[in-house]
Amino acid sequence: MSIAAKKDDAPHILVFSTNNISDPGIDMAGSAHMHYSTQVQVISVPCSSGIKPTWVLHALESGFDGVFIAADGTDCAYLPDCTTRTGVLVKKTQDLLKEHGRSPKRLRMAAVCSVCSESFVSHMANFQKDIVKIASD
Amino acid sequence: MLNRRIGVFICHCGGNISDYVDVEEVRKSVENSPGVVLSKKHMFTCSDAAQTEMMKDVLDEKLDGLVIASCSPKLHLHTFRSMSERAGLNPYRYVQVNIREQCSWAHTDNMRGATKKAIALVEAGIAKSCLMPSLSTIRVETVPKALIIGAGIAGLRSALSLARLGIHAYLIEREEQPGGWVGNLGELFPQGKKGPSLIDSLLEQVRREEGITLFTGTELLEKSGNIGNFTVKLKTGQSDTISLNVGAIIVTTGFDTYAPQKTEYGFNDTNVITLAEYERCLQEGTGEIQYNGHTVKRVAYIYCVGSRQKTSESCPSPNTQCSRYCCTSAIHAAILTHKRDATVGQYHLYRDIRTYGKYELLYDEALNLGSIFLRFDAATPPTVHTDGQLRVNVHDTLTRGEEIEIDADLVVLVTGMVPRENKKLVNILKLPIGKDGFFNEIHPKLRPVETVIDGVFIAGTCQSPKTISESVASALSAVSKTAGLLKRGYVELEPLVAMVDADRCVWCDECTKACPYGAIQKVEHNGKEVAEIIPVLCKGEGACVPVCPKDALDVEGYTDHQITAMIDAFSKEMAK
Amino acid sequence: MLPTDISQELDYDICIVGAGIAGMESALNLGDMGYRVLLVEKEASIGGKMILLSKVFPTLDCASCISTPKMASAAHHPNVTIMVYSEIDEIERKENGTFGVQMHQKPTYVDPNACIGCGQCETACTVAIPDEFNFNLDARRVAHIPFPQAVPKKAILQRNGQSPCNHTCPAGVKPHGYTSLVRAGLHDAAFELHLETTPLIGSLSRACYAPCEKECTRGEFEGSVQIRAIKRFIADRYYELNSEPNYGPVKERKDKRIAIVGAGPAGLNAAFQLARKGYDVTIFEAEEKAGGTMQYGIPDVRLPKDVLERDIKNVTALGVSIRTNTKVESLEKLKQDGFDAVFLGLGCSRTRSKREESADGTTSVKTKAPGRVRSPNTTPFADEIKLAANGVIEINKTLQTSLPYVFAGGDAVTGPLTITAAIGQGNQAAYFIEQFLQGHPLNAADLKELECTDKLAVIAREARLSTRKPTKLLKRENVSKEEGRKAAKLPLTEEEARYSANRCLDCGNCSECHQCVSVCPSNAIDFSMQPIHHQIKVGSVIIATGFELFDAHRKPTFGFGKYPNVVTAMQMDRLLSPTRPFNSVLRPSDGKEPDNIAFVLCVGSRDSQVDHRLCSRVCCMYTAKQAQLIMGSLPLADVTIYYIDIRAFGKGYDEFYEQAKGMGVDFVHGKVADITESSEDEGNLVVRFENLTEGKIEKREHDLVVLSVGLLPNTSAQGMFRGTSIEADNFRYIKEMDEDMEPGVTSIDGVFVAGAANAARDIPDTILHSGAAAVQAAAYIENLKGLVC
């Protein structure tokens, strides 16, 4: 747990989680009292393939410093090719961000399964660290 | 602007939240938010006492929306939805906000930060609730009838079970004679029943059963409609067609046997035959075994013919699957052979003996009865020599790769199951096909008889190689799912489905391509072609939403408006 | 004449025994069809073995990710009722084809309606026991939530009977509880726990005859836990730090007054308990000082009077007044004086010991043996209450005399009694007096506690642990003459007390230390929970009790249980699972990450030595799966699999096997004969096997060996049926009468079997089989309904 993560001026991250897969994983991090920054906010949606690029842009324009998509990966119950679709969305979004003068590095995606609590917590810490670097680039 | 009356309830969770989040501050902060008329705290919102109080508040304050900030929705979403219903509030206007697992428990060292975050989360929940309409579950009336395609053992057995549950079964069979493969098999393992008598007995029951209509020489021409209510058109005989209404379709079209190529293991020789042919030969006569006019005293079995294949020049599209039943079947044939004539020498050339479970005892028996087993590596398969005395050469790994030559009267190729081609059917039903060519289930582990097409099930060997008892279990499992769908007369589906803004839509077809469930159709709206969601087929995952160039799609409960409002609520708190 | 709609008579249409994947699948199918299902599970959570797995073959889906939705659906299905931590006692088939099910819900000691799944009890619990969900790889607490994804997510206290020490104490003290607290360093809490039962802690620590030590299971090994010495440590330490009690009279008062006659152990205790409840209590003591036998019957050497006095302060601090030199001779008068109830703790008259000092004051001699009992001091009341021939007071089971408002205990009731037993009677009397004053019926069964732990089982369990070394008992030495008089034994130091407490074997699991009670935010802990029995009428039954794993101890040549680095595949699956006990795959002996792992297939399967010739169907695949997962998490590791035949026969299975080969897993065609420890590298193992490809015997060294254990039948369901037994096949699985055409149909009409209870199966086959069993049960119910004359 990085010290920076504890401070209230750490980067704000919006996480899109998925109802059946990554959200339970984030819950489990809390149940195990794993700590991450309070600057992390989560919105849960049914599937990562349904996330609109404009939401990501809106978040960054509204004060968030980064957006993290906690994707279903291969565990998705709806789509066997969820990973591919989400990948396409991420690319689309990154292009959109570039168009609007935002660094595409402010969007990150990783598969977080329903028991991947450790991985989620370390993603948050790493993402916050990396975002600080973007600001200073 | 907002004429909403939302009640917010914030839970202490007995200290689990309140020890780390200033619940009173959260309560106060949201008290005057737009749309909120009531903001209260509770020690345990999930307790009976609190629920009674919340229900009373719904009635007294005429609340039309509810936000409960407590633990994860995984725990109490259903509880609170039921509670809302009982209080007369539309259950979809209740929103759960997680300030325990995703707030207090993860931030026990930062009360200020955790409280701020909790406030933001609750504000977002309020924003979402403000924009939630009243929704009802989608109810689809179902027809208590099913269509079963293929009257082999799986199809026959399904029909009987369905009828016994009060669901009418239309059983159609392409051939003139129903019964599939089993009708032609001899003595079956492990109980020794005879194939034809099994089929005859089933057919007799089928014919007696009023709840089953059997059509032979019949094919499926068309299918339309949706789960619970399909219209199917059948072609019976030369030119007659029938239209039927069914609630579900079970596909039990079976398998094909692998046909060895002429050059494979000397298959062009008359004394090199498949296991099926050998089994038929075993059924005829008694005493010494006769084939092709000569007595059989030495049999060599070559296993895994047409299964577990690897890509090679001669095999560009290999059958990689194991056909599961053949090891047991071949060993069973060896036991039957021994019972006919104990002097027959039998040689089994195998890669792995897959007599799983109880079938292991058949392997024991064959060994005890004198069968000899030689193992070969896939890289160096046996070679069959048909010039002069029929003989098989094998590098036996059990004797350090020593090359052994076996003189044989018969070489039996233990051939596996391959998927049966059925392009027409696949097209009509849009049946998904897996990498191995068999029909694809939604999830190989947990949902082996369901397909992505709601209401269409697959059972028996058309899904993957199986033994007879496994096919029957599979068939009954499909019946189980069918009955689950049809028996009550209706199904209720979650209303959190996609919707199209017809005014924005320009019918570019992108959404239809993105939807794996066929839940989008083209309709006419005010003179133009637009997309329309078929709610009954929509799963609500939203894959169609981001692909629309006109932002014409939304998923109920996760609309653009709602998500944006939630982000705005977060950012408002962040700015403070 | 049968009812026209038999389902009206039924509580549920179908009862399913076992809520693993088979049970849940059948339940969901039947629920969807509209039938009412009761799903009974013996563990505290549904999910069976599947939820414990890491990933599943051949898709490598995370087992939790795919089972938790099923578990949630089953829990929330409107037609499915789940009863966890429950067992079936008996099932009887009625003539009309329905079934009567007798079952009971085992007490979890946690009220599920109040429990919020926060886990604080688990953090506070002082007893650690091997975690069976992690197959004994690590420990967990007695109060616990079974695992993070448990459904229902409620805590349970897993008690294994009542520890022998707790069970035998006549006073109702919980020695296991305070020993566990001392072990945890919570000495104040230990005192407070003891105080819940009796204020006479110091006295007991000197004068109790310690029946608990005699019952202590540790006594079967090197010697019992020194419970009384631990008690003395607790008392002395607390009294050293607190010369006065830190409480006063209870604030909430009850408006009833109780008279206690006799300030001996029974009376003092009764007074204490009643005063704590807020009653106004007065003790009448005939002698000059309070204490009874403790004051007058036990010499100072053994029980220093200052300790007794401090003990008595625990009572008087509650506002109890002790009127010494006051004899009570009329119970009627007490009533007239406004007392609503009376407790007679009269004791027996004893000769007092006298010590005569010698002239120079250096020695003393006892003149008479103390404690010789004469007779109970009951004569004054002879015409008010019923007495027996020898003068003892007659009481019923709830300690009530012939006068309803008068209760009695101690020597005067039983004849000569130990202090400890008298304390117990005082406690019981206090309970029944309160019931009486509140107008409740008096029920002796209220105070019934759990039966005692089976000591033999504890001994067997502990004897198997190979790492326990004998401990030295600590005895006091070099006691000087001066000290010798005051106290024959010196108290334990803190270090010694904790060491002694650490010898406790936690026989009954739960020590009753009540830490969970004190931290639970919703007051959900309830030690008074009893089993709840149900009689349920159902239309049909499905047995889905799953399988047992082969116990690898039965193959001693493989060294399981002897060598720490030989583990079973289930343990390995836990090590690989996301909810694993450690952060990585570690080998047990030294916590090192292994880099040369061997799997031995067919352990307990295809093996006539253990009378199990069958193939278990899943081991080849799960081994290939674990091999793949290991290659993923320990990329530098070498993985070897010793096999006879690789049975990868299902859909996608052979491809999965080829994939494992492609990843570099070394599949060695060879039968393993034995496994021994390496003489060079500590902890490493030497696998001796017949290399079937090379045709010779070989030895290879590995640093971790995994035994791929097979599946065995779970025979628990077979004794369930009254008047008949369900037919088992030759392998002791539940038999299907026509396995070809009628999957799931057993020898009892209306009883069906699903999943591994009928034969070893993998998950997809289990799902298919369960769907089939569901349909069979549904058809049976339809038939029942159709039975109209």
Side-chain angles (χ1 to χ4, degrees):
Chain A
M1 179 173 58
S2 83
I3 313 273
K6 285 168 123 177
K7 287 203 232 130
D8 280 355
D9 54 358
H12 284 95
I13 300 183
L14 177 67
V15 175
F16 283 103
S17 67
T18 65
N19 292 341
N20 292 326
I21 306 290
S22 52
D23 207 59
I26 301 176
D27 277 348
M28 211 171 111
S31 298
H33 297 288
M34 290 182 203
H35 282 59
Y36 49 97
S37 167
T38 54
Q39 316 285 69
V40 172
Q41 293 282 14
V42 179
I43 293 181
S44 188
V45 296
C47 174
S48 41
S49 66
I51 298 172
K52 287 177 85 164
T54 47
W55 296 342
V56 176
L57 180 64
H58 185 75
L60 293 172
E61 287 176 343
S62 306
F64 280 98
D65 303 300
V67 176
F68 185 89
I69 298 180
D72 286 335
T74 50
D75 289 323
C76 181
Y78 298 108
L79 306 162
D81 59 344
C82 184
T83 333
T84 321
R85 293 181 193 236
T86 313
V88 166
L89 277 176
V90 166
K91 175 94 193 10
K92 247 172 96 173
T93 313
Q94 284 171 331
D95 291 339
L96 182 68
L97 294 181
K98 274 188 265 193
E99 267 172 55
H100 283 80
R102 305 256 165 194
S103 166
K105 293 205 200 133
R106 292 189 182 273
L107 172 63
R108 188 168 284 192
M109 190 260 287
V112 175
C113 87
S114 70
V115 287
C116 288
S117 42
E118 274 167 41
S119 126
F120 172 72
V121 170
S122 81
H123 274 301
M124 290 300 100
N126 290 333
F127 197 24
Q128 279 186 320
K129 259 194 285 196
D130 293 341
I131 289 176
V132 170
K133 277 197 231 133
I134 302 172
S136 59
D137 276 347
Chain B
M1 176 198 95
L2 279 167
N3 267 332
R4 296 298 307 273
R5 298 188 61 79
I6 294 177
V8 181
F9 298 90
I10 307 170
C11 191
H12 282 242
C13 198
N16 281 287
I17 293 176
S18 53
D19 284 349
Y20 313 107
V21 168
D22 186 341
V23 174
E24 173 55 27
E25 197 184 319
V26 178
R27 190 205 66 75
K28 240 184 9 203
S29 295
V30 303
E31 213 169 21
N32 297 311
S33 293
V36 175
V37 300
L38 179 67
S39 179
K40 276 182 160 180
K41 302 177 299 196
H42 271 290
M43 186 52 64
F44 298 107
T45 44
C46 55
S47 67
D48 264 338
Q51 287 192 49
T52 312
E53 210 186 299
M54 286 191 279
M55 284 180 15
K56 187 164 184 298
D57 282 333
V58 168
L59 286 166
D60 291 347
E61 300 291 330
K62 298 189 187 27
L63 300 177
D64 64 9
L66 202 57
V67 173
I68 299 180
S70 63
C71 52
S72 167
K74 304 284 162 301
L75 294 156
H76 295 304
L77 186 77
H78 293 269
T79 318
F80 290 136
R81 272 203 186 154
S82 308
M83 178 198 83
S84 304
E85 251 182 320
R86 289 198 307 272
L89 173 67
N90 185 285
Y92 294 94
R93 283 188 143 182
Y94 136 71
V95 170
Q96 179 68 21
V97 175
N98 184 346
I99 57 170
R100 187 177 81 167
E101 283 85 341
Q102 292 195 12
C103 190
S104 69
W105 273 353
H107 309 305
T108 60
D109 56 347
N110 182 358
M111 197 175 214
R112 201 168 71 89
T115 307
K116 251 184 109 170
K117 175 170 167 173
I119 294 172
L121 283 167
V122 177
E123 289 284 10
I126 294 168
K128 179 172 175 173
S129 180
C130 279
L131 296 167
M132 272 317 284
S134 286
L135 295 170
S136 338
T137 50
I138 300 171
R139 190 172 153 126
V140 181
E141 303 292 326
T142 56
V143 173
K145 301 184 185 156
L147 174 70
I148 304 174
I149 306 177
I153 188 104
L156 288 167
R157 197 61 192 78
S158 314
L160 282 169
S161 271
L162 277 170
R164 286 176 195 153
L165 292 179
I167 298 170
H168 193 95
Y170 294 112
L171 178 54
I172 69 173
E173 168 54 53
R174 193 165 60 177
E175 306 297 324
E176 291 301 326
Q177 249 319 91
W181 292 101
V182 178
N184 287 320
L185 292 178
E187 207 179 299
L188 306 166
F189 65 84
Q191 308 228 321
K193 294 202 190 135
K194 296 264 168 51
S197 55
L198 211 57
I199 295 293
D200 285 341
S201 134
L202 283 176
L203 274 172
E204 203 206 305
Q205 291 174 63
V206 163
R207 290 193 170 109
R208 262 187 310 170
E209 178 59 62
E210 269 177 39
I212 303 178
T213 315
L214 172 63
F215 298 89
T216 51
T218 303
E219 279 190 329
L220 178 67
L221 282 180
E222 254 174 55
K223 161 221 160 212
S224 60
N226 51 251
I227 182 183
N229 204 337
F230 295 106
T231 306
V232 291
K233 211 150 105 180
L234 308 174
K235 171 157 153 271
T236 61
Q238 287 300 338
S239 53
D240 299 321
T241 58
I242 305 182
S243 239
L244 295 169
N245 248 95
V246 293
I249 301 172
I250 302 180
V251 179
T252 47
T253 49
F255 67 96
D256 264 335
T257 52
Y258 177 76
Q261 299 173 36
K262 285 290 167 199
T263 50
E264 220 175 329
Y265 296 117
F267 191 53
N268 54 346
D269 188 296
T270 41
N271 290 317
V272 177
I273 59 176
T274 63
L275 181 61
E277 288 168 50
Y278 182 58
E279 279 170 342
R280 269 195 291 280
C281 156
L282 277 180
Q283 283 177 58
E284 288 151 18
T286 53
E288 287 186 335
I289 302 163
Q290 301 288 329
Y291 184 78
N292 227 359
H294 62 93
T295 317
V296 175
K297 285 292 180 185
R298 295 169 71 85
V299 181
Y301 301 86
I302 303 181
Y303 285 53
C304 298
V305 177
S307 309
R308 300 182 71 186
Q309 291 177 322
K310 300 223 169 50
T311 324
S312 69
E313 261 186 53
S314 54
C315 192
S317 38
N319 296 320
T320 52
Q321 81 278 7
C322 162
S323 294
R324 186 165 181 147
Y325 83 102
C326 359
C327 282
T328 313
S329 196
I331 284 176
H332 179 70
I335 295 171
L336 290 178
T337 303
H338 184 92
K339 290 208 170 106
R340 279 269 310 254
D341 179 358
T343 65
V344 174
Q346 303 190 72
Y347 304 87
H348 302 253
L349 281 54
Y350 75 95
R351 286 173 58 184
D352 288 284
I353 292 292
R354 293 178 170 181
T355 46
Y356 52 87
K358 289 194 282 219
Y359 302 146
E360 178 68 17
L361 299 173
L362 292 173
Y363 183 21
D364 273 357
E365 201 183 334
L367 277 167
N368 288 334
L369 293 177
S371 269
I372 296 181
F373 288 80
L374 303 102
R375 193 167 184 266
F376 66 90
D377 196 58
T380 43
T383 45
V384 178
H385 302 275
T386 54
D387 48 326
Q389 163 67 47
L390 181 62
R391 58 202 188 284
V392 184
N393 284 61
V394 62
H395 290 274
D396 175 26
T397 67
L398 294 172
T399 49
R400 281 197 250 179
E402 196 177 312
E403 185 169 359
I404 308 216
E405 191 173 86
I406 304 166
D407 287 345
D409 299 318
L410 266 187
V411 174
V412 176
L413 303 182
V414 182
T415 48
M417 290 184 183
V418 295
R420 176 170 265 174
E421 260 212 46
N422 214 327
K423 284 208 181 77
K424 245 199 308 183
L425 186 66
V426 168
N427 256 340
I428 299 170
L429 293 178
K430 305 271 182 297
L431 284 170
I433 302 202
K435 256 197 326 209
D436 54 10
F438 289 91
F439 293 143
N440 221 12
E441 60 282 277
I442 279 188
H443 193 286
K445 248 348 215 193
L446 288 193
R447 301 173 71 182
V449 297
E450 298 163 74
T451 66
V452 288
I453 303 148
D454 274 337
V456 175
F457 305 102
I458 49 178
T461 49
C462 66
Q463 183 251 352
S464 73
K466 293 186 177 56
T467 62
I468 288 169
S469 64
E470 288 162 359
S471 294
V472 170
S474 164
L476 294 192
S477 190
V479 167
S480 198
K481 296 292 176 194
T482 305
L485 219 50
L486 304 180
K487 215 170 171 310
R488 274 188 296 183
Y490 64 90
V491 280
E492 279 184 331
L493 307 169
E494 275 277 293
L496 299 176
V497 294
M499 9 174 220
V500 178
D501 181 345
D503 293 326
R504 285 199 195 181
C505 174
V506 298
W507 183 249
C508 63
D509 202 21
E510 283 303 310
C511 56
T512 330
K513 287 195 276 200
C515 178
Y517 301 105
I520 310 184
Q521 61 186 2
K522 187 165 57 159
V523 294
E524 214 215 79
H525 171 84
N526 288 348
K528 69 169 177 170
E529 285 180 334
V530 296
E532 187 184 69
I533 307 288
I534 306 167
V536 135
L537 294 176
C538 176
K539 297 280 178 245
E541 90 290 338
C544 54
V545 173
V547 305
C548 177
K550 295 294 174 186
D551 283 324
L553 282 157
D554 261 322
V555 173
E556 204 69 272
Y558 304 94
T559 62
D560 195 71
H561 210 175
Q562 282 171 314
I563 302 287
T564 314
M566 287 171 82
I567 296 175
D568 288 340
F570 287 147
S571 85
K572 201 171 110 198
E573 287 309 312
M574 268 156 49
K576 285 195 187 152
Chain C
M1 199 59 175
L2 291 160
T4 49
D5 186 358
I6 224 169
S7 63
Q8 299 291 358
E9 301 277 307
L10 301 174
D11 298 305
Y12 298 92
D13 295 310
I14 295 117
C15 172
I16 301 182
V17 183
I21 189 71
M24 293 194 293
E25 179 70 13
S26 299
L28 288 169
N29 283 345
L30 287 163
D32 282 343
M33 289 187 225
Y35 297 103
R36 297 162 303 155
V37 179
L38 174 66
L39 185 52
V40 180
E41 169 55 49
K42 74 171 196 286
E43 300 292 343
S45 166
I46 60 176
K49 301 240 175 11
M50 190 177 162
I51 189 72
L52 303 173
L53 300 176
S54 55
K55 302 212 171 167
V56 293
F57 57 79
T59 50
L60 290 182
D61 282 310
C62 136
S64 305
C65 297
I66 56 176
S67 3
T68 42
K70 285 262 178 200
M71 288 160 68
S73 298
H76 292 124
H77 201 293
N79 290 337
V80 177
T81 305
I82 299 183
M83 281 199 200
V84 291
Y85 218 52
S86 300
E87 294 200 30
I88 306 284
D89 299 312
E90 194 180 75
I91 302 179
E92 184 186 1
R93 187 175 192 280
K94 312 275 186 203
E95 270 202 41
N96 64 2
T98 64
F99 292 83
V101 176
Q102 284 190 48
M103 56 165 287
H104 67 276
Q105 284 175 286
K106 298 181 286 190
T108 58
Y109 305 101
V110 177
D111 177 1
N113 292 321
C115 175
I116 55 174
C118 66
Q120 286 187 21
C121 51
E122 193 163 352
T123 317
C125 179
T126 57
V127 181
I129 52 175
D131 186 347
E132 77 264 22
F133 287 112
N134 275 328
F135 298 89
N136 301 344
L137 283 170
D138 67 345
R140 60 167 173 80
R141 302 282 147 175
V142 168
H144 68 290
I145 296 176
F147 41 84
Q149 311 91 327
V151 171
K153 194 164 177 193
K154 305 282 176 187
I156 67 163
L157 261 61
Q158 195 172 339
R159 300 182 70 184
N160 181 24
Q162 192 176 33
S163 298
C165 52
N166 287 1
H167 195 71
T168 200
C169 176
V173 175
K174 307 286 183 265
H176 186 189
Y178 66 68
T179 300
S180 192
L181 287 166
V182 167
R183 175 174 57 189
L186 300 169
H187 310 308
D188 280 340
F191 182 87
E192 271 144 32
L193 178 71
H194 202 311
L195 195 64
E196 277 178 35
T197 316
T198 174
L200 306 172
I201 305 175
S203 304
L204 282 174
S205 74
R206 269 52 170 202
C208 181
Y209 70 105
C212 50
E213 288 189 12
K214 290 189 191 61
E215 289 301 313
C216 176
T217 312
R218 195 66 196 247
E220 306 294 327
F221 297 91
E222 319 87 341
S224 42
V225 176
Q226 293 151 291
I227 304 175
R228 189 172 54 204
I230 291 172
K231 197 206 294 284
R232 181 165 166 186
F233 162 76
I234 294 170
D236 285 2
R237 175 193 167 276
Y238 191 86
Y239 288 160
E240 170 93 22
L241 297 168
N242 302 278
S243 57
E244 300 287 327
N246 59 4
Y247 52 82
V250 166
K251 290 218 168 57
E252 261 188 61
R253 310 297 308 169
K254 299 219 169 63
D255 65 352
K256 299 268 196 252
R257 298 178 66 210
I258 300 159
I260 311 275
V261 183
L268 284 168
N269 235 77
F272 177 75
Q273 298 295 9
L274 289 162
R276 274 174 61 187
K277 295 290 173 83
Y279 291 103
D280 192 316
V281 181
T282 308
I283 308 181
F284 298 95
E285 170 53 53
E287 299 290 340
E288 198 182 313
K289 292 196 183 153
T293 322
M294 300 182 292
Q295 181 71 253
Y296 296 108
I298 302 181
D300 198 50
V301 169
R302 211 173 137 217
L303 173 45
K305 297 305 173 252
D306 55 345
V307 174
L308 174 60
E309 270 162 38
R310 178 59 182 85
D311 278 346
I312 293 176
K313 279 191 192 171
N314 289 333
V315 182
T316 51
L318 287 171
V320 172
S321 62
I322 305 183
R323 307 239 283 259
T324 49
N325 288 320
T326 312
K327 216 163 175 211
V328 170
E329 289 184 328
S330 162
L331 298 168
E332 181 56 35
K333 182 163 186 309
L334 285 175
K335 193 147 183 241
Q336 285 165 4
D337 284 345
F339 289 103
D340 301 291
V342 178
F343 175 72
L344 298 173
L346 300 169
C348 292
S349 64
R350 290 173 145 79
T351 53
R352 289 202 204 124
S353 66
K354 277 205 178 105
R355 280 188 172 273
E356 275 176 8
E357 301 253 321
S358 65
D360 61 8
T362 52
T363 55
S364 73
V365 174
K366 283 186 268 186
T367 52
K368 270 192 178 131
R372 181 171 301 152
V373 171
R374 289 268 174 80
S375 55
N377 306 330
T378 53
T379 4
F381 312 114
D383 47 357
E384 287 189 277
I385 50 175
K386 216 154 167 252
L387 300 177
N390 58 355
V392 300
I393 305 175
E394 275 195 16
I395 51 163
N396 63 18
K397 284 205 169 74
T398 60
L399 275 60
Q400 197 179 31
T401 66
S402 51
L403 263 181
Y405 68 95
V406 178
F407 293 75
D411 288 358
V413 163
T414 60
L417 198 62
T418 60
I419 295 168
T420 323
I423 289 174
Q425 297 224 311
N427 281 340
Q428 288 171 36
Y431 174 80
F432 290 120
I433 288 174
E434 183 169 22
Q435 295 295 301
F436 169 75
L437 291 174
Q438 289 178 348
H440 298 148
L442 302 182
N443 192 357
D446 283 354
L447 297 182
K448 184 164 174 291
E449 295 213 13
L450 204 53
E451 77 280 355
C452 186
T453 310
D454 176 4
K455 283 175 72 170
L456 291 176
V458 178
I459 292 168
R461 165 187 101 201
E462 299 300 321
R464 205 183 242 182
L465 292 177
S466 54
T467 52
R468 195 172 291 277
K469 295 192 174 67
T471 48
K472 286 207 186 68
L473 285 179
L474 302 176
K475 285 205 152 69
R476 301 269 60 81
E477 291 170 10
N478 305 325
V479 173
S480 74
K481 264 204 185 150
E482 292 83 44
E483 289 165 317
R485 260 202 236 165
K486 291 252 172 67
K489 299 186 165 107
L490 284 173
L492 301 171
T493 62
E494 184 184 349
E495 200 184 311
E496 288 165 343
R498 288 186 80 167
Y499 174 87
S500 301
N502 261 295
R503 298 180 65 239
C504 172
L505 296 173
D506 295 308
C507 302
N509 290 350
C510 173
S511 66
E512 300 179 71
C513 73
H514 290 190
Q515 288 299 289
C516 51
V517 177
S518 65
V519 300
C520 178
S522 44
N523 268 331
I525 312 280
D526 180 4
F527 277 97
S528 72
M529 269 176 98
Q530 300 283 341
I532 305 175
H533 293 268
H534 298 279
Q535 312 261 57
I536 303 182
K537 293 198 270 269
V538 303
S540 149
V541 176
I542 298 181
I543 308 286
T545 45
F547 60 90
E548 299 284 341
L549 283 167
F550 177 77
D551 179 1
H553 287 103
R554 290 172 61 190
K555 293 290 291 183
T557 48
F558 290 155
F560 179 71
K562 207 158 85 182
Y563 309 125
N565 295 326
V566 176
V567 300
T568 63
M570 196 67 217
Q571 290 177 315
M572 177 51 92
D573 228 291
R574 290 303 305 148
L575 288 172
L576 290 165
S577 147
T579 53
R580 53 181 170 252
F582 318 123
N583 259 341
S584 162
V585 176
L586 302 172
R587 63 176 206 166
S589 69
D590 53 11
K592 173 175 105 117
E593 268 183 10
D595 58 31
N596 183 355
I597 302 161
F599 285 86
V600 178
L601 279 173
C602 299
V603 175
S605 314
R606 304 181 71 182
D607 191 340
S608 28
Q609 279 182 358
V610 294
D611 194 26
H612 189 238
R613 277 299 305 158
L614 303 183
C615 160
S616 295
R617 282 172 75 136
V618 299
C619 331
C620 287
M621 285 308 292
Y622 77 54
T623 302
K625 168 199 84 180
Q626 290 189 355
Q628 287 200 26
L629 293 176
I630 288 174
M631 307 226 63
S633 72
L634 301 171
L636 299 173
D638 285 325
V639 178
T640 310
I641 300 181
Y642 297 96
Y643 72 98
I644 309 173
D645 290 286
I646 292 292
R647 293 174 169 188
F649 53 84
K651 185 164 178 173
Y653 288 12
D654 205 63
E655 292 85 336
F656 188 79
Y657 164 43
E658 292 296 323
Q659 194 177 305
K661 275 202 277 194
M663 285 172 87
V665 175
D666 187 11
F667 283 86
V668 174
H669 190 214
K671 185 94 175 78
V672 173
D674 58 49
I675 299 173
T676 46
E677 239 178 0
S678 162
S679 47
E680 291 147 25
D681 273 295
E682 210 187 297
N684 280 8
L685 301 139
V686 175
V687 173
R688 196 166 68 100
F689 65 103
E690 182 190 352
N691 188 328
L692 293 163
T693 319
E694 300 297 316
K696 56 181 163 93
I697 313 276
E698 268 183 43
K699 281 190 192 178
R700 281 201 207 167
E701 191 168 311
H702 297 279
D703 55 16
L704 179 68
V705 173
V706 183
L707 301 178
S708 296
V709 291
L711 273 44
L712 291 179
N714 174 353
T715 52
S716 60
Q718 286 165 29
M720 269 180 204
F721 297 90
R722 171 194 269 224
T724 175
S725 56
I726 195 163
E727 217 177 297
D729 62 17
N730 294 337
F731 323 108
R732 296 181 309 131
Y733 281 101
I734 295 183
K735 185 172 175 175
E736 279 171 321
M737 303 315 286
D738 179 1
E739 65 181 86
D740 293 318
M741 286 299 112
E742 301 293 341
V745 173
T746 69
S747 60
I748 302 180
D749 194 20
V751 176
F752 305 96
V753 63
N758 155 256
R761 283 194 161 85
D762 57 25
I763 293 169
D765 287 341
T766 300
I767 301 269
L768 292 177
H769 198 248
S770 310
V775 159
Q776 301 282 31
Y780 181 81
I781 302 281
E782 291 302 302
N783 214 19
L784 278 185
K785 288 188 190 166
L787 281 172
V788 178
C789 288

